[in-house]
Amino acid sequence: MSQKLADFHDFFSQHKEPAFRSKQVCEWIWKKHARSFRAMSNIPSSLRSLLDAHFYFEPLRIEQLDASTDLTTKVVFLAQDDQRFEGVLIPAGNRVTACISSQVGCPLGCKFCATGLLGFRRNLMSHEIYDQVILLDRMAQEQLKKKLSNIVIMGMGEPLLNDEEVIKAIRKWCDPEGAAISPQRITLSTVGIPEGIRRLASAHVKIQLAVSLHSASQHKRETIIPAAKKFTLLALSEALEAYYRLTRQRIVVEYLMLKDVNDSIQDARELAAFCKRFPVKINLIEYNRVDKTGFERSSDEKMEAFAAFLKRLNMVVNIRKSRGEDIAAACGQLALRNKKT
Ligand code: SF4
């Protein structure tokens, strides 16, 4: 849907239409996912023509689907300007999660990440972010006979470099007039942009914040995440402390386990020290190999020893296995493989 449709309320009052009409139109767009005014059967035809003359739809299209043996499905979305970006539908037990993108490509170039190798094209608009969820929810209902249970903003791009549009989409997902999704079921994952974390806290959207830390040593982190030179661990830890003070929400720390890079007990000790200033849940993530990065997955023994060390310090730790690796849909693998971009 076009940005120009973002707020009908002023338009309706200017044209002396009753407020309930605006609510009806919003319901058609956000709840029933109508993509033309013609479809809005309870709206008078004169009003539909007026809306047609003033607003337009810019629907996302699904260009390609790849299904994994574990039922994970990767989707290539096509925007109106022919830019492509990816989302993933991940069923696991009773949960069905949509992993969605916030940018086309990414400017941060993390060394382990396939999206980073693509470079940056543009920010996604709020309606393009919103619509990924609506399309993936429709797919979940058709293919799995289940509704989406969770959203993770963890696909292509750094959401806190596009937080204005991302927050607009979050508000719309959570709006009772929109998709009415609980904010507790939404996770935004950032590489750690301190100012963006503070803005997110002030936005009071009450979603879960996840930080891709991957190392608690400043020097080592810079070799994995070049942007860490600018966004230092000290600034990140101060921003996370401020985030917790304002939201009282536990922070999820994502830690990709890279063989002989960040998987020693000394690395675990540094991670525990970093996490002292705010409550955390730590996810240790299996690395999904990406060509040209040179990184390898840590062994199961190393991951278990790392987790055991943290658990002895009474920290909440989970080991997260890969999903959708065979279709390059796993964490850090979204790179429009086989696509002309
Ligand atoms: S890990 Fe995230 S922030 Fe880093 S390059 Fe990939 S998409 Fe961008």
Side-chain angles (χ1 to χ4, degrees), residues 106 108-110 112-113 115-116 157:
C106 181
L108 294 187
C110 299
F112 53 84
C113 173
T115 308

Side-chain angles (χ1 to χ4, degrees), residues 35 37 40 46 68 72 182 204 225 229 238 275 304 329:
R35 285 302 173 258
F37 293 111
M40 301 180 184
S46 57
S68 159
T72 298
S182 161
H204 300 293
I225 303 172
K229 289 192 188 82
E238 284 168 356
C275 295
E304 275 153 26

Side-chain angles (χ1 to χ4, degrees), residues 129-316:
I129 300 167
Y130 180 93
D131 274 359
Q132 292 173 68
V133 165
I134 301 303
L135 292 174
L136 290 174
D137 184 39
R138 190 182 286 175
M139 250 175 72
Q141 294 193 46
E142 284 169 10
Q143 293 180 7
L144 307 166
K145 310 292 174 226
K146 286 181 185 166
K147 285 175 77 73
L148 276 188
S149 58
N150 296 75
I151 301 169
V152 292
I153 310 168
M154 213 180 266
M156 291 180 149
E158 165 50 59
L160 293 184
L161 292 181
N162 186 22
D163 48 296
E164 214 175 292
E165 297 298 308
V166 168
I167 288 169
K168 275 189 215 162
I170 292 170
R171 292 198 197 287
K172 208 45 111 172
W173 290 326
C174 299
D175 189 335
E177 284 183 19
I181 294 168
S182 161
Q184 293 302 314
R185 294 179 175 275
I186 302 171
T187 302
L188 180 150
S189 175
T190 174
V191 88
I193 313 289
E195 280 316 306
I197 290 170
R198 290 174 197 274
R199 287 193 298 272
L200 186 68
S202 310
H204 300 293
V205 280
K206 299 193 174 78
I207 59 167
Q208 278 218 332
L209 175 65
V211 176
S212 297
L213 195 69
H214 310 327
S215 173
S217 140
Q218 177 62 32
H219 168 70
K220 203 175 270 192
R221 194 163 190 260
E222 287 174 17
T223 64
I224 307 170
I225 303 172
K229 289 192 188 82
K230 183 173 173 196
F231 307 118
T232 63
L233 278 174
L234 180 61
L236 175 58
S237 125
E238 284 168 356
L240 291 175
E241 203 177 350
Y243 183 89
Y244 177 69
R245 261 202 316 273
L246 208 60
T247 64
R248 310 314 288 179
Q249 288 202 302
R250 182 170 71 169
I251 289 148
V252 178
V253 171
E254 308 276 2
Y255 195 100
L256 205 52
M257 296 289 291
L258 304 170
K259 182 181 172 192
D260 299 335
V261 175
N262 64 356
D263 59 355
S264 70
I265 293 301
Q266 177 57 20
D267 291 305
R269 194 172 286 120
E270 287 170 352
L271 174 59
F274 179 84
C275 295
K276 268 194 178 144
R277 295 172 72 172
F278 31 79
V280 297
K281 177 175 90 173
I282 298 172
N283 287 333
L284 302 179
I285 306 166
E286 268 187 347
Y287 181 58
N288 307 299
R289 214 174 154 280
V290 172
D291 288 345
K292 300 188 201 146
T293 64
F295 292 111
E296 296 289 337
R297 170 180 300 185
S298 297
S299 66
D300 288 352
E301 295 73 32
K302 276 265 177 128
M303 286 185 81
E304 275 153 26
F306 198 100
F309 178 88
L310 295 170
K311 281 180 185 165
R312 278 198 296 278
L313 298 175
N314 293 323
M315 306 191 81
V316 182

